[in-house]
């Protein structure tokens, strides 16, 4: 017969391992050491700025190109003709979205038709036709285009939307939806005036379409997706968020964007009680938060958010908010507070009654520049050792933010609060939106191999969408199940003895 203390030990060990496994839900592409990712970002920025300093004293062609921004210098300064090697961009992401492939190694698809006449069965040559394909595609545009969406644009895995060389404006109903997919790059496009949509059949792949529920009117909605990179976009005036990432999305980098004229700018996390969002990891770097913004730059629930070398020039309520114990690592940013004396604080603990509730939340500021009375309320001093790795390389001074964010947004696009444009580059097509025409023909760049099942007439079922072919792997519950079974069997054996 088992000794009583031995029986108790078995029970305690079972409970310990069950609880350990239950609290260790992981997401696809979640990094095991987010501090090391933050450290790598800082090292990359420092190295890029050092190269710029060295090249400024030389007469090489790259000396005038380098800004110290590691993303831009990666693809703009390694070749005199970026257009001949567009897919070099996929090698240039940093942070948690590093390694996002987009359509790398896929065919170049040229959008020739700016219309969106049939969201359920899009025509070849349109942007919608390109983004739903199953194969990797690098999507470019034949000319300047204004694309007015009739319904949300559902983007499949391994796609790059590359607006370089043309002025591409996307607006209308729903805008961009990145749902249960991975490896998507959105680069150098204007996104604005996005309205709620729904109640219509919309294609998600060449063989799968369904009636959509109502969308919120986000500029870009990231839902249960991983390996997503949003870079050099100009965004404003949407109904809900400019960028929302929820429902277990992770491995995301949001960089070099220009945000203006909006209330709730960016939401990261579905709900305080939604456990999988603990694995959300997002890098926010080199963005310009400009005129007419109110709050949520971002607003975080759970997860690890690295905010580095951004320029916060305007807010009406607060800049960075959170609930549900997110980790916020703010390094080398510039925060310029509004004139309102009641809105000087950068941070806001949303729906928190007192500091006893959030005093252990891990919110850190390092090397940030506070102007016009701005102040950042840090917390989590008792666990500051978690930041030893991420702080072992000093963040570059926020005085360099002007330089690092000089070209934020679409290249050559307007600067609402400055009345001037940033740098353009060889091949830039100029401003203004194109017409609704542009030809309806396809492109020889499309091969057309598909892997989908037969089409569906109703795609609105929530759980069907979650656990369908495009869903991310579910949290690893198998080991938890076995541990529970072992505990049950062990306890049953003890009771019989």
């Amino acid at each position: 017969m088992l000794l009583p203390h031995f029986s108790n030990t078995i029970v305690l060990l079972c409970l310990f391992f069950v609880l350990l496994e239950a609290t260790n839900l992981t997401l696809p592409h979640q990094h095991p050491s987010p501090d090391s990712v933050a450290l790598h970002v800082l090292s990359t920025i420092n190295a890029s700025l050092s190269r710029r300093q060295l090249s400024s004293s030389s007469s090489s062609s790259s000396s005038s190109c380098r800004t110290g921004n590691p993303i831009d210098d990666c693809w703009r300064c390694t070749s005199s003709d970026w257009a001949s090697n567009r897919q070099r961009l996929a090698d240039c992401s940093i942070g948690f979205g590093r390694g996002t492939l987009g359509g790398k190694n896929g065919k170049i698809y040229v959008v020739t038709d700016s219309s969106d006449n049939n969201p359920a069965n899009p025509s070849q040559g349109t942007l919608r036709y390109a983004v739903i394909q199953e194969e990797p595609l690098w999507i470019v545009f034949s000319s300047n285009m204004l694309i007015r969406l009739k319904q949300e644009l559902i983007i499949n895995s391994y796609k790059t939307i590359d607006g370089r060389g043309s002025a591409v404006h996307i607006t209308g109903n729903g805008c961009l939806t990145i749902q249960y997919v991975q490896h998507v790059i959105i680069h150098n496009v204007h996104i604005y005036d996005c309205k709620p949509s729904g109640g219509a059949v919309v294609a998600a792949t060449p063989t799968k379409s369904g009636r959509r529920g109502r969308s919120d009117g986000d500029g870009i909605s990231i839902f249960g997706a991983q390996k997503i990179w949003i870079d050099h976009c100009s965004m404003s005036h949407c109904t809900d968020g400019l960028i929302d990432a929820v429902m277990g999305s992770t491995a995301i980098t949001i960089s070099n964007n220009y945000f203006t004229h909006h209330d709730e700018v960016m939401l990261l996390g579905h709900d305080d009680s939604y456990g999988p969002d603990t694995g959300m990891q997002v890098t926010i770097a080199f963005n310009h938060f400009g005129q007419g913004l109110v709050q949520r730059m971002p607003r975080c629930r759970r997860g690890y958010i690295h905010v580095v070398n951004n320029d916060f020039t305007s807010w009406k309520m607060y800049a960075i908010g959170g609930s549900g114990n997110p980790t916020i690592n703010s390094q080398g940013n510039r925060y310029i507070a509004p004139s309102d004396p009641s809105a000087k604080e950068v941070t806001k603990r949303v729906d928190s009654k007192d500091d006893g509730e959030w005093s252990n939340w891990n919110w850190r500021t390092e090397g940030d520049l506070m102007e016009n009375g701005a102040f950042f309320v840090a917390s989590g001093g008792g666990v500051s050792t978690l930041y030893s790795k991420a702080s072992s390389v000093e963040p570059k001074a926020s005085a360099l933010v002007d330089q690092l964010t000089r070209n934020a947004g679409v290249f050559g696009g307007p600067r609402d609060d400055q009345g001037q444009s940033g740098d353009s580059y060889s091949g830039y097509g100029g401003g203004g939106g194109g017409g609704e025409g542009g030809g309806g023909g396809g492109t020889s760049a499309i091969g057309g191999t598909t892997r989908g099942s037969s089409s569906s007439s109703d795609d609105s079922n929530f759980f069907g969408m979650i656990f369908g072919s495009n869903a991310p792997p579910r949290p690893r519950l198998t080991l938890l199940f076995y541990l529970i079974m072992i505990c049950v069997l062990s306890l049953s054996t003890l009771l019989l003895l």
Side-chain angles (χ1 to χ4, degrees), residues 143-211:
S143 63
N144 298 344
M145 289 189 182
L146 171 61
I147 299 174
R148 296 187 183 276
L149 298 173
K150 289 191 172 181
Q151 296 291 331
E152 58 187 314
L153 186 74
I154 302 176
I155 302 172
N156 209 342
S157 293
Y158 296 97
K159 299 294 180 291
T160 297
I161 297 178
D162 181 0
R164 289 175 295 177
S166 301
V168 179
H169 296 248
I170 299 175
T171 185
N173 296 325
C175 287
L176 279 60
T177 296
I178 304 172
Q179 185 176 45
Y180 303 129
V181 295
Q182 58 184 335
H183 290 283
V184 174
I185 299 173
I186 311 295
H187 181 79
N188 209 65
V189 294
H190 299 267
I191 301 170
Y192 54 90
D193 289 341
C194 299
K195 304 292 190 279
S197 65
V201 176
V202 179
T205 74
T207 58
K208 182 179 179 182
S209 62
R211 188 169 299 278

Side-chain angles (χ1 to χ4, degrees), residues 116-435:
D116 188 36
N117 295 325
N118 190 349
N121 185 23
S123 302
Q124 290 192 34
T126 62
L127 176 60
R128 189 179 297 275
Y129 182 91
V131 298
I132 67 172
Q133 300 304 311
E134 295 281 13
E135 63 182 300
L137 290 177
W138 199 278
I139 302 164
V140 300
F141 300 83
S142 64
S143 63
N144 298 344
M145 289 189 182
L146 171 61
I147 299 174
R148 296 187 183 276
L149 298 173
K150 289 191 172 181
Q151 296 291 331
E152 58 187 314
L153 186 74
I154 302 176
I155 302 172
N156 209 342
S157 293
Y158 296 97
K159 299 294 180 291
T160 297
I161 297 178
D162 181 0
R164 289 175 295 177
S166 301
V168 179
H169 296 248
I170 299 175
T171 185
N173 296 325
C175 287
L176 279 60
T177 296
I178 304 172
Q179 185 176 45
Y180 303 129
V181 295
Q182 58 184 335
H183 290 283
V184 174
I185 299 173
I186 311 295
H187 181 79
N188 209 65
V189 294
H190 299 267
I191 301 170
Y192 54 90
D193 289 341
C194 299
K195 304 292 190 279
S197 65
V201 176
V202 179
T205 74
T207 58
K208 182 179 179 182
S209 62
R211 188 169 299 278
R212 300 291 295 179
R214 184 172 175 83
S215 70
D216 293 331
D218 297 325
I220 300 176
S221 174
I222 305 170
F223 194 104
Q226 298 86 35
K227 286 294 180 184
I228 309 299
W229 182 23
I230 312 299
D231 186 56
H232 275 294
C233 292
S234 295
M235 304 184 68
S236 66
H237 294 106
C238 292
T239 301
D240 192 31
L242 294 182
I243 300 176
D244 281 8
V246 299
M247 298 297 292
S249 298
T250 194
I252 299 167
T253 292
I254 299 170
S255 57
N256 294 309
N257 299 290
Y258 200 90
F259 302 111
T260 58
H261 303 290
H262 195 77
D263 181 2
E264 299 176 341
V265 178
M266 193 183 304
L267 174 66
L268 305 177
H270 170 65
D271 185 87
D272 290 356
S273 62
Y274 189 70
D277 278 341
T278 302
M280 174 176 286
Q281 297 171 337
V282 182
T283 300
I284 300 173
F286 318 132
N287 300 285
H288 178 92
F289 295 88
Q291 270 190 347
L293 300 180
V294 179
Q295 59 180 318
R296 297 190 176 187
M297 301 172 233
R299 190 259 201 250
C300 317
R301 294 184 174 112
R302 297 178 172 264
Y304 185 113
I305 315 302
H306 188 202
V307 184
V308 57
N309 286 135
N310 299 276
D311 198 7
F312 295 84
T313 67
S314 178
W315 67 82
K316 292 183 180 179
M317 291 177 60
Y318 65 88
I320 297 176
S323 61
N325 192 15
T327 295
I328 296 175
N329 184 2
S330 174
Q331 297 183 303
N333 302 282
R334 177 169 60 188
Y335 297 102
I336 305 175
S339 57
D340 182 354
S342 66
K344 299 292 187 182
E345 184 178 344
V346 171
T347 50
K348 179 178 176 62
R349 274 73 176 180
V350 183
D351 299 328
S352 298
K353 297 178 180 178
D354 54 58
D355 58 3
E357 183 177 347
W358 53 259
S359 59
N360 288 325
W361 294 2
N362 228 341
W363 291 26
R364 284 287 176 272
T365 172
E366 182 183 13
D368 291 324
L369 178 63
M370 306 291 173
E371 294 188 0
N372 199 33
F375 64 97
F376 186 113
V377 178
S379 58
V383 286
S384 59
T385 53
L386 291 175
Y387 282 84
S388 58
K389 289 183 180 179
S391 300
S392 59
V393 174
E394 182 180 355
K396 280 301 178 183
S398 50
L400 293 170
V401 164
D402 271 336
Q403 178 179 315
L404 293 170
T405 63
R406 173 185 175 186
N407 294 313
V410 170
F411 279 95
R415 296 294 184 260
D416 288 348
D417 52 355
Q418 297 169 350
Q420 61 185 19
S421 296
D423 281 359
S424 60
Y425 55 85
S426 176
Y428 176 69

Side-chain angles (χ1 to χ4, degrees), residues 16-211:
F16 171 78
F17 284 112
V18 167
L19 289 172
L20 181 65
E21 182 63 22
T23 57
N24 192 31
L25 297 175
T26 58
L27 296 172
H29 302 293
Q30 178 183 340
H31 199 282
S33 177
D35 291 321
S36 66
V37 176
L39 173 63
H40 186 268
V41 169
L42 298 182
S43 300
T44 302
I45 296 170
N46 293 348
S48 185
L49 287 166
S50 296
R51 284 192 294 270
R52 179 185 184 277
Q53 187 174 9
L54 289 173
S55 65
S56 63
S57 60
S58 70
S59 58
S60 65
S61 59
S62 65
S63 61
S64 60
C65 170
R66 295 193 180 278
T67 64
N69 181 313
I71 295 173
D72 293 348
D73 291 355
C74 172
W75 65 267
R76 295 184 72 195
C77 305
T78 55
S79 171
S80 59
D81 182 15
W82 59 266
S84 65
N85 187 17
R86 284 180 175 270
Q87 296 189 10
R88 165 69 177 164
L89 176 68
D91 301 327
C92 299
S93 183
I94 64 172
F96 293 113
R98 183 181 178 216
T100 300
L101 298 174
K104 185 179 180 182
N105 299 322
K107 297 173 182 177
I108 301 291
Y109 184 103
V110 182
V111 175
T112 58
D113 182 352
S114 64
S115 70
D116 188 36
N117 295 325
N118 190 349
N121 185 23
S123 302
Q124 290 192 34
T126 62
L127 176 60
R128 189 179 297 275
Y129 182 91
V131 298
I132 67 172
Q133 300 304 311
E134 295 281 13
E135 63 182 300
L137 290 177
W138 199 278
I139 302 164
V140 300
F141 300 83
S142 64
S143 63
N144 298 344
M145 289 189 182
L146 171 61
I147 299 174
R148 296 187 183 276
L149 298 173
K150 289 191 172 181
Q151 296 291 331
E152 58 187 314
L153 186 74
I154 302 176
I155 302 172
N156 209 342
S157 293
Y158 296 97
K159 299 294 180 291
T160 297
I161 297 178
D162 181 0
R164 289 175 295 177
S166 301
V168 179
H169 296 248
I170 299 175
T171 185
N173 296 325
C175 287
L176 279 60
T177 296
I178 304 172
Q179 185 176 45
Y180 303 129
V181 295
Q182 58 184 335
H183 290 283
V184 174
I185 299 173
I186 311 295
H187 181 79
N188 209 65
V189 294
H190 299 267
I191 301 170
Y192 54 90
D193 289 341
C194 299
K195 304 292 190 279
S197 65
V201 176
V202 179
T205 74
T207 58
K208 182 179 179 182
S209 62
R211 188 169 299 278

